Structures are given as structure tokens and as C-alpha cells.
């Protein structure tokens, strides 16, 4: 009987160790650490970390709430990293399955593998796309298609980092140079400071 208890304890410890190892990916942990702390005055939630790689935290074994298949921030123009609201983001995977969501007032959007809601609170079907994925964004008469495919990176900011450089085309934007139209009530500023090295 005593050896059965020891074997049971060892199996429990082994199972716990396997579970911990799945959520302790050093690459993911280093990426999360590199993002730094939350910005003062911006609560954790749909408005936080605009322009950062959402799926670093929001994945099956990540610390963020929700498992996002694709998420990011859409900014207004090429010369200013200011998130723009109510941009329609249309994504189509290789099986021609399509999902459409809209950005919130800081330009953030996200599509969950299990659950997503649009700006008006309506439920968007869960989406686990088969890559590659085509993307287009539009707001009013402004339309922009991504010139290449998303091949596997679920975070826009995984490739589109601020500022643009040798390893990044820069932020995703839908508009033109100049100031975006004013945003109504937004609990946080939609402007992301562009830091240069």
C-alpha cells in the first residue's frame, strides 16, 4: 500500500511538471519581459499595449486572458502612431474562411480562437485560421490591402514594429499623412510615442 502512495505522488508531481513546462517557454517569457510594464493610467484590458505583439501574452499558455489567433493595432497614417477607431479589419484564410472585426478607440482589434466580440457587443465566430491569411483594412473611403500574406505570426506587431527599420516595415495604418479624425469618448490616449534609437 505504501508503494502505491509513493507511485501516485510521483505521477502527480510528474504531471504537474509537464504542465508547468508547457507554460514556461523561455522565448515567450523573454518576449513578454521585453515589453516592459503596463503604462500608468491604462488598465489591463482591450485598450492596453497598443502597437505591441498581443499574442505574446494572449495565447493558450500565456498569462493574458483569451487565446487570440490574430490581433493588433491599426493606426491612422504613416507619420503618426495614433490608433484609429472603427476600422474594419477583414481577414481571409487559405480555406476562404473570413472574419471581419472593427478596431476600438485606440485602434486595437483581436480575434479569439474561442470567443470574440465586436465593438457593438455582437459575437464574432471563433476563428483558428489556416495560414496564410490575407488582410485588408478600411474606414470610410480609406482602404488598404496588405501586400503580402500573414504566414504564421498572429500579432501584427510581430512584424510591424514601431518605429520602422531594417527589420520592420513600421506600424499598420489605414489613412494618410496628417492628423486622424477626432475620436469620441476614449478612456485612454490613442497616441503611441515613437521612440527612435
Amino acid at each position: 500500500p505504501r508503494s502505491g502512495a509513493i507511485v501516485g505522488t510521483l505521477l502527480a508531481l510528474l504531471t504537474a511538471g509537464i504542465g508547468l513546462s508547457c507554460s514556461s517557454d523561455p522565448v515567450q517569457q523573454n518576449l513578454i519581459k521585453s515589453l516592459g510594464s503596463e503604462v500608468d493610467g491604462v488598465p489591463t484590458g482591450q485598450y492596453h499595449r497598443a502597437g505591441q505583439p498581443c499574442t505574446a501574452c494572449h495565447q493558450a499558455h500565456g498569462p493574458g486572458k483569451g487565446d487570440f489567433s490574430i490581433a493588433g493595432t491599426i493606426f491612422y497614417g504613416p507619420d503618426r502612431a495614433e490608433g484609429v477607431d472603427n476600422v474594419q479589419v477583414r481577414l481571409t484564410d487559405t480555406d476562404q474562411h473570413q472574419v471581419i472585426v472593427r478596431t476600438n478607440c485606440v485602434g486595437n482589434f483581436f480575434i479569439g480562437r474561442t470567443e470574440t466580440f465586436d465593438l457593438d457587443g455582437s459575437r464574432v465566430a471563433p476563428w483558428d485560421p489556416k495560414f496564410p491569411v490575407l488582410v485588408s483594412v478600411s474606414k470610410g473611403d480609406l482602404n488598404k490591402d496588405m501586400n503580402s500574406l500573414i504566414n504564421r505570426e498572429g500579432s501584427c506587431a510581430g512584424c510591424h514594429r514601431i518605429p520602422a527599420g531594417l527589420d520592420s516595415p513600421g506600424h499598420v495604418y489605414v489613412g494618410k499623412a496628417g492628423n486622424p479624425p477626432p475620436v469620441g469618448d476614449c478612456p485612454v490616449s490613442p497616441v503611441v510615442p515613437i521612440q527612435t534609437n
Side-chain angles (χ1 to χ4, degrees):
R2 182 165 169 82
S3 64
I6 291 171
V7 169
T9 301
L10 288 173
L11 283 174
L13 289 171
L14 178 63
T15 303
I18 290 171
L20 288 174
S21 67
C22 291
S23 62
S24 299
D25 177 354
V27 173
Q28 178 193 14
Q29 294 305 315
N30 286 337
L31 174 57
I32 292 169
K33 191 175 184 179
S34 75
L35 299 177
S37 302
E38 295 288 340
V39 173
D40 289 339
V42 180
T44 300
Q46 66 173 323
Y47 305 114
H48 83 143
R49 297 189 180 272
Q52 292 190 4
C54 310
T55 61
C57 294
H58 295 280
Q59 57 175 278
H61 300 291
K65 182 180 178 185
D67 181 8
F68 298 167
S69 55
I70 296 183
T73 308
I74 310 299
F75 296 100
Y76 180 70
D79 60 338
R80 186 169 176 164
E82 183 166 346
V84 65
D85 71 331
N86 211 24
V87 172
Q88 185 180 77
V89 182
R90 180 185 308 266
L91 302 115
T92 308
D93 76 1
T94 195
D95 285 338
Q96 299 303 304
H97 295 135
Q98 189 175 86
V99 67
I100 299 170
V101 292
R102 290 175 291 164
T103 60
N104 63 21
C105 64
V106 297
N108 287 346
F109 76 92
F110 48 91
I111 302 159
R113 283 191 173 86
T114 57
E115 189 170 59
T116 298
F117 292 91
D118 202 2
L119 288 178
D120 61 3
S122 62
R123 191 169 190 280
V124 175
W127 199 50
D128 193 6
K130 184 174 178 184
F131 290 96
V133 172
L134 290 168
V135 183
S136 66
V137 294
S138 61
K139 180 176 171 97
D141 62 348
L142 302 171
N143 295 289
K144 205 161 181 81
D145 296 325
M146 188 166 156
N147 293 328
S148 59
L149 299 168
I150 298 174
N151 287 303
R152 63 184 172 98
E153 174 60 62
S155 293
C156 296
C159 297
H160 293 273
R161 290 177 291 285
I162 303 172
L166 295 175
D167 64 346
S168 170
H171 58 273
V172 178
Y173 62 91
V174 70
K176 306 165 187 170
N179 293 328
V183 174
D185 291 333
C186 192
V188 300
S189 172
V191 177
V192 174
I194 298 179
Q195 300 174 347
T196 55
N197 296 333

